[in-house]
Each structure stands twice: as C-alpha cells, then as structure tokens.
Amino acid sequence: MERGAPYSTMRMQISTLFTLPDAVKDAWTAFEPRRRFRLPEIKRTWIVFFCLFGFAVFNTAAEKPNVLFIAVDDLNDWIGCMGGHPQAITPNIDRLAKEGMLFSNAHCQAPICGPSRASVMTGLAPATTGIYLQINDADIRNAGPAAAEAVFMPDWFEQNGYKTMGAGKIYHQGDKAETFDEFSGKSNFGPKPKKRMKWPIEGVPFGTLTDWGAFPERDDQMPDFNTAAFAVEKLKQKHDKPFFLAAGFCRPHVPWHVPQKWFDLFPVESIQMPPYKPDDMDDVPEIGKRIAEMPMMPTTEWAIEKGEWKHIVQAYLACMAFADAQVGKVLDALRESDYADNTIVVLWADHGYHIGEKNRFAKQAVWERDTHTVLIFRVPGMAAGEVCGAPVQLLDLYPTLLELCGMPENPGVEGNSLVPLLKNPESEWDHVAITSYGQGNVSMRSRTHRYIVYEDGSEELYDMIKDPNEWNNLADNPECSGIKQQFKAAVPGVQVPLSPHSTYTVNAYWRSKVSASEKESEHEN
C-alpha cells in the first residue's frame, strides 16, 4: 500500500484481502476524508485499519459453524424414523431427522465398536489401517503405518481453530487416544446388579456383558445421564472459539439394563417380534457361519424355548428409548442456546445389531442388520425432512464435516463428502458402502443389493428390495453374474494384514487370526 494513498484506495486494497461485513464497510466509507493524508492522518488510518482488521478476524471466527457430534452405541435401525421396529419410541432422534437429512442406507466400516470408531475418527478404512478388530484406543496410532500418519478428527479441528470437548463413548474406550482438549468420563456399560439376572447360563463360555432386566432405580445412576449433563452444560457456556462437542452414549449396548419406567413403555405381552426363519443359515457359506459364531451369546432357538425372546426385545427397546431421551436433553439444550442457528448436528451409531434375526443376538457379522446404521445430519440453511437412500458410509463423516465447516481438506482421509447429497439427495452417487471384518472378508451395499465375499472366495448376494431379510442367497444364480462383477470391481485392491495390536477372542476363527498376527509381528521384530 502506497504512503499517502487515499482512503478509497486503501479500502479497496483491504477488501481484496478480507471479506468485511457490510456494517464495517459503511463505517469505513463514512470515515473516508476527501484529501490525501498528512502524518497525523496516516497514524489515524493505521489505527482504523487495525480496528477493522481485528473486527474482520473476529467476525470470520464467529461465523465458523460449531459441530455437535452425537454417537450412540449398538443402535440398530429399529428407530422410528427408519421404520425398523413398529413399537420403537425415539421421538428425539426422529425429530432431528425431520430437521435435517436421514441417510437411510448408511453402513459402518467394521461391525464392532473399536474398529468402527477408529475408522470414523482417523478417516481411514480398516483395509488401510489393519484395524479390523477390537483395539485399545492408545494403540490406534501404533496399529500400522497408515494409522501412525493419521490426523485424528478432533486434532484436525483443533489445528483449524476449534475447541474440542467430549464425554462418554466416542472411541471404544472414551478418549484414551487423548485427542480432545477436554474430555469427561469414559466408556462405561454399567451399572450392573451384583448378581446376573438372566445371562449367562451354565455351560456358556465367559466373554459377554449380555444380560437384561430393569436396573437400576433411577436415570441419574446411569453413566449416559452424566454424558448428557456434560454436553448440556457446555452448550450453556460461552466459548471464545467455534467448538466441536462430542457426546457418546453407551446404551443400547449390553447389558440391557435401564430403570423400570423404560420397560413399562413396552408391555411384554404386546411385543412384536422381528422376522426369523429357522433354516435361514442353510445357504450361507461355512466361513460365513464361522466368522459370525458367538458361543457366549444366546441364540434365538434358546430364547424361544425359554420364553425370553420377547423380554430381550422389550429390554432393547427400553434401552433405545432411554438413550433417545438423553439425546433429547442435548438437542433441547442446543435449541435453547446461543448456538442453535450456527451448529451442525450429526448423529451416528457405530454399527447395527441382531435381536434374534439369523438365530443370533449380536453384531460381529456382515449382514444387513449388522452393518446398517443410523446417520443423520442437521445443517443450518440446508433442507429439512429429507431422506437419502444412497449407500453411504460412516467413513464419509470426516470429509463431510470438513467441507461443511469450510476447513481445508485433509488429504490423508478416505471416504467421500456427503455435501452433494445434503444439497440434493438425488445427486448422482456411484459409490458403494464397504464393510470389512478381517482381511479378505468384505461386505458391500448398493442401493439394491448386498454382496459378501470371504477370504476363501465364498460369496453371498442378496436382492435387498425383494429380500430385505437376506433369506435367499443368489450368489450361485448365473443371472446375477453381472451384478457380482460390478461389486467385485469395488473390492478394495489393497487390504493390509490384521494389526498385531488387535485383541479379539470371541471364537476359534478369530483367535487363530489374532494369534497368527502376533506371531508374524514377533517374527518381523
């Protein structure tokens, strides 16, 4: 800028550097003298310049959207807005869907908590990191070369001027990865009664928290109550930076215990049961049965014989209703806060869960009920009440939030920004959703079909429009070869080996995989 330049020239040059609010531009214009500077005027000019500069920077920071990041553990697609179970009571999540966009065909990248959450927070697929199975939060960075170079989502936000806060279950163990500025609590699946109520039974191997029944007496004895309280308090506070606030709720993760009042919402005599076909697994490849085996969990056959299936469904619905109420507290606090009009809300669940379908009560498999999950975005200024049926992934959260917040892209993350779909749910979308459960076991979902290929080459293919329960495996049908070829072209070309930091012993198949990975690591060292 030239010495002695007129205010008009100076204003024009500044405007090329900063986008000033209209009020500031008007103030500058009113201040502009009609003649060139003398020395006192130059000093006055720089005073005005720095005042305006400071105002512009403050205004830019204030306009950055905040993010409310809500995770719900083991929440399947039974919620009201997804129509999964006709008796579900989830008014708060349903209301959020009406205020934003529900992605009705969203899928996790791994059908268990640890690797699914690691994928979300690193922005990397399991096939890239080797984190296919459970892993301690503190070991995520040590899982392999890709994870070591990853910039976790909270860290990227912090590097771009955000304050990050969280509580509850965000990573598998809370935030033992230590990526938040401020964090409260941890993953806590309690409280639990001193004596198990229903499960396990004699002869079943140890290894699950699964149990069901009304406990404890009050909501404030539940860890999720504290998580909601933390988020509500943060939304009441004044913040000098845009914020990324995460709230992770543990229910409906097992044990299915919540106070009696939540059970009372679902009289057991009127419970409607999910679909079940006793010979459902007859056309599933042997390896598909082996990787999905959960010997420590109840089976549907047992639950029917003992008259417990309705009680399990009741308990799961009760836990869902309780979790929804905690979500509602946080959403209500946002609506009543100063941040209501400048906060992006995303609500997601880490994977699905079988509640009796396919003779199992578990996640840990690659069928629809395991991978299908909840994903809702509410973005100020974007359309409300929309439903998008494109196959999307939890892996897409990271790049989507960066674009919505106007931040630089992280070149290291995978997934696809959902912003085109948020603008128009009918936008062209050529991607499939990919779930990995161990190296070589890949499940993929399009708008119409699910394709599964296992490490030994065995396959499953389902028409999800005609056969939503996946009862008729079409993999050997020659008329479907073209569909299979389209899916095979999308199988990840590189699937790195299982990380030696994996911890997983749920069945013989996975014990052998973890043991082999540990031995390979010892050999390399």
Side-chain angles (χ1 to χ4, degrees), residues 233-252:
E233 179 59 29
K234 293 304 171 185
L235 289 167
K236 291 179 179 179
Q237 295 175 0
K238 300 295 183 182
H239 302 282
D240 58 1
K241 293 181 178 181
F243 60 76
F244 178 97
L245 174 59
F249 297 103
C250 290
R251 288 294 183 271

Side-chain angles (χ1 to χ4, degrees), residues 355-368:
I355 305 292
E357 309 92 336
K358 294 191 180 295
N359 197 30
R360 63 199 312 270
F361 296 89
K363 43 209 174 188
Q364 292 117 324
V366 289
W367 296 298
E368 183 79 359

Side-chain angles (χ1 to χ4, degrees), residues 326-400:
Q326 308 317 304
V327 169
K329 293 177 187 177
V330 179
L331 295 177
D332 286 345
L334 175 62
R335 293 182 184 106
E336 297 167 3
S337 75
D338 295 335
Y339 311 109
D341 297 329
N342 191 37
T343 298
I344 297 162
V345 181
V346 56
L347 184 145
W348 57 281
D350 49 0
H351 43 67
Y353 208 97
H354 279 114
I355 305 292
E357 309 92 336
K358 294 191 180 295
N359 197 30
R360 63 199 312 270
F361 296 89
K363 43 209 174 188
Q364 292 117 324
V366 289
W367 296 298
E368 183 79 359
R369 187 67 78 199
D370 307 287
T371 76
H372 194 204
T373 190
V374 181
L375 180 59
I376 301 170
F377 270 89
R378 195 215 73 174
V379 182
M382 288 192 172
E386 297 279 5
V387 177
C388 178
V392 302
Q393 311 176 108
L394 295 182
L395 188 63
D396 301 331
L397 266 68
Y398 197 147
T400 301

Side-chain angles (χ1 to χ4, degrees), residues 188-200 209-219 221-224 250-263 311-312 314-320 322-323:
N188 187 332
F189 304 114
K192 294 170 282 188
K194 292 182 180 179
K195 183 180 179 181
R196 294 285 189 111
M197 292 183 170
K198 297 292 185 69
W199 193 264
L209 296 171
T210 300
D211 199 6
W212 53 96
F215 183 85
E217 292 184 0
R218 306 185 314 275
D219 286 358
Q221 295 172 281
M222 302 289 295
D224 286 343
C250 290
R251 288 294 183 271
H253 192 288
V254 293
W256 295 311
H257 294 319
V258 286
Q260 181 67 50
K261 67 178 183 180
W262 301 104
F263 281 77
H311 293 280
I312 295 174
Q314 178 196 39
Y316 189 81
L317 290 170
C319 289
M320 284 178 58
F322 167 80

Side-chain angles (χ1 to χ4, degrees), residues 143-176:
E149 296 178 2
V151 180
F152 290 27
M153 191 189 301
D155 292 330
W156 192 267
F157 271 84
E158 290 161 13
Q159 292 172 15
N160 285 275
Y162 277 72
K163 178 180 182 180
T164 61
M165 304 170 286
K169 187 172 181 180
I170 300 302
Y171 297 88
H172 184 49
Q173 297 168 307
D175 183 34
K176 289 190 176 180

